[in-house]
Amino acid sequence: MAPSYDNLPDDNMEEEELDFSDLNEQYEVRLESSLDAFCVIDGLPVVPEDSKPKLVKYIQRKLNQVGKISEDGFFMPLNNSGSTQGFGFVEYATADQATAAVKQLNGTALDKKHIMSVNKLTDIDRYGREGRVNEEYEAPQIEPFKEKEHLRWFLEDRSGRDQFAMIRGDNCGVFWNERDEAPENMVDRAHWTDSFVSWSHTGVYLASLHTKGVLCWGGPSWTRLKRFAHPGVNLIDFSPHDNWICTWSHRPIELEPDDKTLSAEEEGKNYIIWDVATGKPLRSFQNIEQAPAADEEGRPVKKRLQWPAFKWSADDKYVARMTPGQSLSIYELPRMNLLDKTSVKIEGLVDFEWCPATPQRDAIRTYEQLIAFWQPELGSNPAKVGLMSIPSKEIVRTTNLFNVSDAKLHWQSSSTFLCVKVDRHSKSKKSLTTNLEIFRIREKGVPVEVVDQIKDQVINFAWEPDGARFVVIVSGEVLMNSAVPPKTSVSFFCPEKSRTAAVGKFRHIKTIEKRNSNAIYWSPKGRIAIVATVQSAQSHELDFYDFDYEGDKNEADEKLSANLQLMSSADHFSVTDVEWSADGRYVITSGSMWKNAMETGYHLYDFKGQLLREEHIDRFRQVSWRPRPALLLSKDEQKQIRKNLREYSKTFDEEDIAKKTTASRAVIEHRRRLLEEWYHWRAQTETDLAEMREDKGLPPNPRSLEMLDDMDEEEEGKVVEEIVEEIIRETEEVV
């Protein structure tokens, strides 16, 4: 059937009357969106045309790390002389890949002379439009130099005092510690933090947490130095050298429309790794969803958050995170790219720990860091503990373990030893015992020594800082249907004396039975250890032990590298926390309302266990000593100072005496001033009284006349005043 043209419009219809909106919408060229996948690469080397293919291949390898480049998607123009011009253009498969390239590749060093700059093409067009960039050059205005405050000013204190931060009620303050006086307040602010404060590892920054992020404070005037905008942040963790910081929130991040710090990449994430120097995010991550756990009877078990989830290497060059039971992801800082572009597959992975200091393995001259990890028993395969060298990812040592219920990894602070606390179950799985597997990192082949003198389960273990001695707390048998925790015993270990440079075998020193202790706190300088009972309603004891007691030594212990002595015992009711000062001279024990302490406040002790100060503070929340950076003195210089310590101590003793004398003189002057005011008031009162008696026609006070006569007789004599204070009675009431 032929088509009908009866309904066609008249020939004189104007073109403007036609509706092309549907066609325009379908075929319109969207310039901004179509160019979102393009990036401009600057800072490239200028090479002749013959070397261009090699350079293009190298640059493409870099660009493919964050996304897929389309076919013929990289273009590098040439100039009239046939050389490259130091820039190029790249097209990614998606706009998201282009955004990732800008974040991860911008600022990447190609060699010692060339640093690659990556920007989106749409950004250049957007900011370079006519009217936004002045065509005429204008010299930048350089602001006059302003000297900034020294961030390590607290190390210049002549008396070598330490500082601590304290939160009580809504106020947070920083104080200088004083031995014999009340602490000197440096700064005190209301609502300084919404939750808690945390010092950085070197003590440079004091971080406060708020609903919109983290603020870092420092300097003598305590000004705001850094800001990390992580909404709803709950926890933070600084890297060992304060170069990076990790923030975490239990709720995924929801960006505000005007947020200029975070990008769409951080939307919905929980973790952010930040660059402390620039305050910019390096990379963000989501929580790892895990299958719900259940006990033997099938009841759900709530898993505790593993914190820190991201763990730093000792030199701030790497950060690692594990996917429980599957793999270990190691990222290079600051680029935050996966080491060798892949995670390390470790079946059944339970936990891992970086070595806390750069290791010094026998006959190893190349750079390395070590990671210790452990795997549980899987089928017929035994449990394993392994040591992995980074960056090579080589497994340098493993050991097999059987009948393992749990294991904990404990590095010694100088990475000389690694102790693996292995809880083993019996065949019936009704009882637990503990073995200590100690890896000797610096010896050839990394031998493993087993300490198996422990018959019950170890609930706490602690190495001596920079030493080879350790303390363990062993739990007794748990009684059925008993509300009281079982008694514990405390055991002390040290190596035997050795004639060579190698450390001798570990030997048991002593065990203290029938205790309630559950925590161990070593002095940061070693030698002194506190064995305490914290967060307990039944007991609250503190025992101070000296491992190098200078008194007589038992003959049986002559071969041991320790002379153990209990120096003193103390008692702090409702103690929840114990913390040593950075110099190891003082220790604070505190009771925090956050941990349901019945009596809030803190006690200050010296290293010998002598109580120096006791303060009961209402709504007391937190106290934290300010850390100090690592010593710059060599071991020989430190040894020389210890050798001449008596000479140095004379100077400090004189300063202490002068300080006490100054304080005593101030008290005496204050009392003398009060006494003079009393004499003046009394004389004025007697004068007024005499005038009143005279006005009323009464005789003068005979007692006053006698006193005046006596004063007249002794007017030319010398008056000596002596103030005598005597304590008549002193009582102490315990509430």
Side-chain angles (χ1 to χ4, degrees):
M1 181 176 178
S4 175
Y5 298 98
D6 297 338
N7 298 326
L8 289 176
D10 296 336
D11 293 340
N12 58 355
M13 177 178 287
E14 298 293 336
E15 185 178 349
E16 289 79 4
E17 297 180 12
L18 297 177
D19 183 10
F20 296 102
S21 60
D22 56 340
L23 296 177
N24 288 335
E25 183 179 356
Q26 181 176 359
Y27 296 105
E28 181 183 12
V29 177
R30 296 175 178 84
L31 180 63
E32 294 291 330
S33 60
S34 63
L35 296 179
D36 272 344
F38 285 85
C39 291
V40 181
I41 315 298
D42 289 305
L44 303 179
V46 176
V47 298
E49 188 175 0
D50 296 342
S51 303
K52 178 182 174 182
K54 185 176 180 181
L55 177 61
V56 169
K57 185 177 180 181
Y58 176 74
I59 299 299
Q60 284 182 330
R61 192 184 313 128
K62 292 279 186 182
L63 298 174
N64 278 319
Q65 293 178 358
V66 294
K68 185 178 180 181
I69 299 177
S70 61
E71 187 176 356
D72 298 329
F74 181 67
F75 173 68
M76 187 185 299
L78 301 176
N79 57 20
N80 295 332
S81 61
S83 300
T84 62
Q85 301 183 59
F87 65 89
F89 302 91
V90 61
E91 181 185 4
Y92 279 99
T94 64
D96 291 339
Q97 293 180 3
T99 302
V102 173
K103 277 207 157 194
Q104 298 184 35
L105 298 180
N106 187 39
T108 300
L110 299 177
D111 52 34
K112 293 182 179 180
K113 297 182 179 180
H114 298 88
I115 297 178
M116 184 167 62
S117 298
V118 183
N119 295 280
K120 294 187 71 173
L121 186 60
T122 52
D123 291 341
I124 294 176
D125 181 64
R126 185 179 300 117
Y127 298 122
R129 287 175 183 168
E130 185 177 356
R132 297 191 180 184
V133 178
N134 193 346
E135 296 296 334
E136 296 182 3
Y137 172 76
E138 293 181 1
Q141 294 182 354
I142 301 176
E143 297 182 359
F145 172 74
K146 294 181 180 179
E147 186 176 357
K148 295 184 178 180
E149 294 180 335
H150 199 318
L151 297 184
R152 296 189 176 183
W153 61 278
F154 58 95
L155 300 176
E156 298 177 347
D157 183 63
R158 183 172 179 81
S159 301
R161 296 176 297 175
D162 280 296
Q163 290 182 350
F164 59 83
M166 187 192 308
I167 303 177
R168 60 266 188 263
D170 296 328
N171 284 47
C172 177
V174 180
F175 301 81
W176 283 113
N177 180 52
E178 298 285 356
R179 175 184 172 87
D180 302 313
E181 302 174 13
E184 178 185 347
N185 182 248
M186 295 296 298
V187 61
D188 202 0
R189 296 173 182 171
H191 306 288
W192 200 353
T193 177
D194 292 342
S195 53
F196 65 92
V197 295
S198 176
W199 294 103
S200 64
H201 287 286
T202 62
V204 171
Y205 304 110
L206 177 66
S208 59
L209 276 70
H210 306 269
T211 55
K212 292 188 177 181
V214 180
L215 298 177
C216 287
W217 311 81
S221 59
W222 295 100
T223 55
R224 193 183 80 181
L225 303 174
K226 306 291 179 182
R227 178 177 179 267
F228 307 102
H230 185 152
V233 62
N234 298 112
L235 294 172
I236 63 173
D237 182 45
F238 282 94
S239 66
H241 297 283
D242 294 352
N243 292 318
W244 329 108
I245 184 174
C246 175
T247 58
W248 173 81
S249 60
H250 71 279
R251 292 182 179 179
I253 296 174
E254 297 180 3
L255 295 182
E256 298 181 359
D258 57 345
D259 195 321
K260 297 181 180 179
T261 304
L262 303 181
S263 64
E265 187 177 343
E266 279 76 39
E267 182 86 29
K269 304 295 180 62
N270 302 89
Y271 296 91
I272 301 180
I273 308 295
W274 303 81
D275 185 340
V276 173
T278 63
K280 295 181 179 180
L282 299 177
R283 191 166 177 178
S284 55
F285 300 85
Q286 289 180 319
N287 286 336
I288 296 177
E289 298 295 334
Q290 300 184 41
D295 58 14
E296 296 178 354
E297 299 179 2
R299 293 173 298 189
V301 177
K302 187 176 181 180
K303 289 188 176 181
R304 295 185 61 184
L305 172 70
Q306 185 178 27
W307 184 259
F310 287 84
K311 300 179 181 180
W312 316 96
S313 65
D315 56 1
D316 277 14
K317 290 187 177 181
Y318 302 98
V319 64
R321 180 196 195 189
M322 74 171 183
T323 302
Q326 300 179 26
S327 62
L328 181 63
S329 301
I330 305 169
Y331 300 91
E332 296 180 279
L333 289 163
R335 292 176 54 193
M336 285 302 296
N337 58 299
L338 270 174
L339 182 63
D340 297 335
K341 304 179 185 179
T342 181
S343 299
V344 182
K345 303 296 182 182
I346 304 177
E347 187 179 6
L349 177 64
V350 178
D351 195 12
F352 78 99
E353 293 289 345
W354 287 96
C355 59
T358 300
Q360 300 176 10
R361 288 197 297 135
D362 182 66
I364 302 299
R365 299 292 180 263
T366 57
Y367 167 83
E368 72 167 355
Q369 297 292 325
L370 291 178
I371 289 180
F373 63 90
W374 81 277
Q375 308 164 255
E377 297 177 74
L378 299 172
S380 59
N381 296 325
K384 286 185 179 180
V385 175
L387 283 176
M388 181 190 304
S389 177
I390 301 297
S392 66
K393 297 183 180 179
E394 176 190 359
I395 304 298
V396 299
R397 185 70 161 88
T398 60
T399 184
N400 295 334
L401 306 170
F402 299 91
N403 301 326
V404 178
S405 293
D406 192 17
K408 291 289 185 293
L409 307 171
H410 298 275
W411 280 98
Q412 186 254 7
S413 61
S414 58
S415 300
T416 306
F417 304 101
L418 167 68
C419 177
V420 183
K421 182 181 76 69
V422 184
D423 294 334
R424 303 178 186 271
H425 55 75
S426 61
K427 292 184 178 180
S428 62
K429 297 187 177 181
K430 292 184 178 181
S431 61
L432 290 175
T433 58
T434 298
N435 283 355
L436 303 178
E437 310 268 341
I438 299 179
F439 290 69
R440 294 173 171 263
I441 304 298
R442 297 186 179 181
E443 297 183 20
K444 186 177 181 179
V446 191
V448 179
E449 180 180 348
V450 180
V451 178
D452 55 2
Q453 297 100 323
I454 306 169
K455 298 181 179 179
D456 293 311
Q457 183 183 8
V458 173
I459 62 173
N460 207 328
F461 174 97
W463 283 106
E464 176 187 18
D466 296 323
R469 300 173 290 198
F470 59 87
V471 183
V472 298
I473 298 178
V474 181
S475 175
E477 184 179 356
V478 180
L479 301 178
M480 296 296 292
N481 302 323
S482 175
V484 180
K487 290 290 184 181
T488 61
S489 60
V490 184
S491 297
F492 305 88
F493 292 82
C494 73
E496 292 179 336
K497 291 181 179 179
S498 175
R499 296 181 179 178
T500 63
V503 179
K505 292 186 176 181
F506 291 95
R507 292 291 179 260
H508 174 255
I509 305 174
K510 187 178 183 180
T511 296
I512 311 296
E513 302 283 355
K514 297 181 179 181
R515 306 294 295 172
N516 296 303
S517 307
N518 57 14
I520 307 164
Y521 302 94
W522 277 97
S523 165
K525 301 301 181 182
R527 177 172 174 172
I528 310 298
I530 298 176
V531 180
T533 307
V534 298
Q535 301 186 45
S536 173
Q538 287 76 30
S539 180
H540 25 80
E541 57 209 15
L542 304 162
D543 295 329
F544 291 75
Y545 288 94
D546 184 1
F547 273 71
D548 292 324
Y549 178 62
E550 297 179 357
D552 296 335
K553 192 173 184 179
N554 296 332
E555 294 183 3
D557 299 335
E558 285 295 333
K559 295 183 179 181
L560 302 181
S561 59
N563 188 19
L564 186 68
Q565 177 69 29
L566 174 64
M567 294 192 295
S568 63
S569 295
D571 187 274
H572 182 175
F573 177 70
S574 196
V575 60
T576 59
D577 300 279
V578 179
E579 185 178 357
W580 283 91
S581 63
D583 57 8
R585 290 187 295 172
Y586 303 102
V587 62
I588 280 183
T589 63
S590 59
S592 171
M593 63 175 292
W594 284 338
K595 300 180 180 179
N596 299 320
M598 299 175 64
E599 183 180 293
T600 57
Y602 74 95
H603 291 184
L604 177 70
Y605 299 88
D606 65 4
F607 68 94
K608 301 188 297 294
Q610 178 184 353
L611 180 63
L612 303 177
R613 185 165 63 249
E614 178 179 350
E615 287 195 42
H616 300 286
I617 303 174
D618 186 35
R619 297 172 61 205
F620 178 87
R621 301 172 187 268
Q622 179 190 5
V623 62
S624 178
W625 289 102
R626 186 171 197 168
R628 291 172 177 255
L631 289 176
L632 300 179
L633 299 175
S634 65
K635 291 186 177 181
D636 292 337
E637 290 173 330
Q638 295 180 42
K639 187 176 180 180
Q640 189 67 22
I641 291 174
R642 293 191 187 96
K643 184 179 180 181
N644 302 323
L645 190 59
R646 293 186 181 275
E647 297 181 9
Y648 294 114
S649 64
K650 293 178 182 179
T651 304
F652 292 115
D653 290 340
E654 292 174 358
E655 292 181 359
D656 291 342
I657 293 173
K659 190 173 182 179
K660 290 181 179 179
T661 304
T662 303
S664 301
R665 188 182 299 113
V667 172
I668 293 172
E669 292 295 335
H670 177 66
R671 292 174 179 172
R672 188 181 296 278
R673 186 169 59 254
L674 293 178
L675 189 60
E676 289 176 354
E677 291 176 0
W678 158 252
Y679 284 151
H680 177 74
W681 175 85
R682 182 173 177 176
Q684 185 64 39
T685 303
E686 288 182 349
T687 303
D688 295 342
L689 182 59
E691 292 177 356
M692 290 175 60
R693 293 180 70 88
E694 183 178 355
D695 293 342
K696 293 183 179 182
L698 298 174
N701 189 348
R703 184 179 178 186
S704 298
L705 292 174
E706 293 176 2
M707 291 178 62
L708 290 172
D709 293 338
D710 294 340
M711 291 178 63
D712 291 338
E713 293 176 2
E714 299 179 2
E715 186 175 5
E716 299 180 357
K718 184 178 180 180
V719 179
V720 179
E721 295 183 1
E722 182 178 0
I723 301 174
V724 179
E725 294 183 359
E726 180 180 356
I727 298 177
I728 300 175
R729 183 176 59 184
E730 183 177 0
T731 60
E732 181 178 354
E733 182 178 356
V734 179
V735 180

